[in-house]
Amino acid sequence: MYKAIISSNEIEGVKTERKEVSEAYDSVVKKDEKNVRLKSTLALYNDIMHSEKIDIHTLEDIRDIYNQLTEGEIAEEAVPNGQLFREQVENEIVTVGNHIPPQTELEISSLLLKWIEFINDHSFPYLVRATLGHYFFENIHPFNDGNGRTGRYIFSRYLSKKLDPYSGLVISQKINENKSDYYKSFEITGDAYNKGEATFFMQAMLEYVVSGQKEIIDTLTEKTHNLDTVLRWLEENSYQDEEGYVLFLLYQSQLFTDSKDDGIQDIEIFDMAKTSNYTVRAVQRAMEKLERKGVIEVSTKRPKRHRIVSPVV
């Protein structure tokens, strides 16, 4: 999820630190009232992980997604100047590269209503609707800023529902890795001599999906092997009961996160212990013992986290 948000913003030239995403995620999970940058964005992407269905049936639905996704991220002068979308400013023509999108809010709204009809038309294959829907949305360009982030998020949501959450999340990362080809596919499809042939665009988008899926499978295969190796090591070195429980949770956390600031919190380990065969106090004592032995150390204090420092394998 972190990579999806960072990649999507990076495509638009918006700098996003991993720490900011982590803080926003903590705020969403805790359901606190803190005003944290990217909090609303995290809430939307969190829906992808939980396979929440996305329903877009009105123009207001589109604007609601845009508002949540870009809250606090759009400069005041770039906020939509129409009722829902951008409105033409006198003597100004909006262009996107060589493409001239609809200029007035009336034209934008009319085309978006047709887009809504298309993405909800089940007579078309799902992936055709998802990929071509992304092309049409970006070409309509309904907002002054934030079109790419909004369009890729909607694309991700549709992919995650039909395929799986990881396929939906990885699409922004693969697009970011192939940014020039991504924009080129828009140019080729929109070329007047191409006469609206969109096969190339669909193929390019689906190749990103397949590439991302293969990468996910390879990563999970490798990490599964690592977990199996660690389980054997813990058993062979007599790390059983509460100590083994703590070490295995910490190892999983370090294996699937890139930063010490994103690891599992002590409080989360204690909460999980409540549903295991171990008591919270026994787990606390095990952590204290492992820390004295130099096997683990405190990595962050607020919230408190531990990490493994002694080689486990």
Side-chain angles (χ1 to χ4, degrees), residues 208-309:
Y208 296 151
V209 173
V210 171
S211 174
Q213 288 177 327
K214 288 180 177 177
E215 190 173 295
I216 290 167
I217 290 170
D218 289 344
T219 299
L220 291 177
T221 300
E222 178 187 352
K223 291 183 186 297
T224 299
H225 172 73
N226 290 343
L227 288 175
D228 289 340
T229 301
V230 168
L231 276 174
R232 288 195 300 271
W233 186 90
L234 290 172
E235 185 177 339
E236 291 167 0
N237 288 270
S238 301
Y239 281 112
Q240 299 173 352
D241 298 327
E242 293 86 356
E243 288 187 19
Y245 177 76
V246 169
L247 286 174
F248 192 53
L249 286 178
L250 289 177
Y251 184 79
Q252 289 179 72
S253 175
Q254 287 175 223
L255 185 62
F256 287 96
T257 57
D258 299 325
S259 168
K260 66 179 183 180
D261 296 326
D262 297 332
I264 189 170
Q265 299 175 22
D266 286 9
I267 189 66
E268 293 172 320
I269 294 177
F270 301 148
D271 286 341
M272 292 171 69
K274 296 174 184 176
T275 60
S276 71
N277 296 323
Y278 309 114
T279 67
V280 173
R281 183 57 194 136
V283 171
Q284 288 175 324
R285 285 197 298 266
M287 293 181 76
E288 292 165 1
K289 184 177 179 180
L290 289 168
E291 189 174 345
R292 287 196 302 270
K293 291 164 62 175
V295 179
I296 66 175
E297 68 177 8
V298 175
S299 57
T300 64
K301 293 184 178 180
R302 292 186 180 178
K304 193 171 184 180
R305 293 182 175 91
H306 279 82
R307 64 190 301 272
I308 299 172
V309 288

Side-chain angles (χ1 to χ4, degrees), residues 23-49:
E23 290 174 350
Y25 178 76
D26 286 343
S27 184
V28 168
V29 170
K30 294 175 182 176
K31 298 181 181 179
D32 60 36
E33 299 298 323
K34 289 194 300 184
N35 184 19
V36 179
R37 185 193 172 206
L38 300 173
K39 183 176 179 180
S40 57
T41 302
L42 243 298
L44 286 180
Y45 272 88
N46 199 42
D47 287 343
I48 294 179
M49 284 303 300

Side-chain angles (χ1 to χ4, degrees), residues 135 180-190 200-201 204-205:
Y135 173 80
S180 60
D181 289 338
Y182 171 67
Y183 288 127
K184 187 69 176 177
S185 65
F186 278 98
E187 292 179 19
I188 293 173
T189 305
F200 175 82
F201 186 85
M205 295 303 104

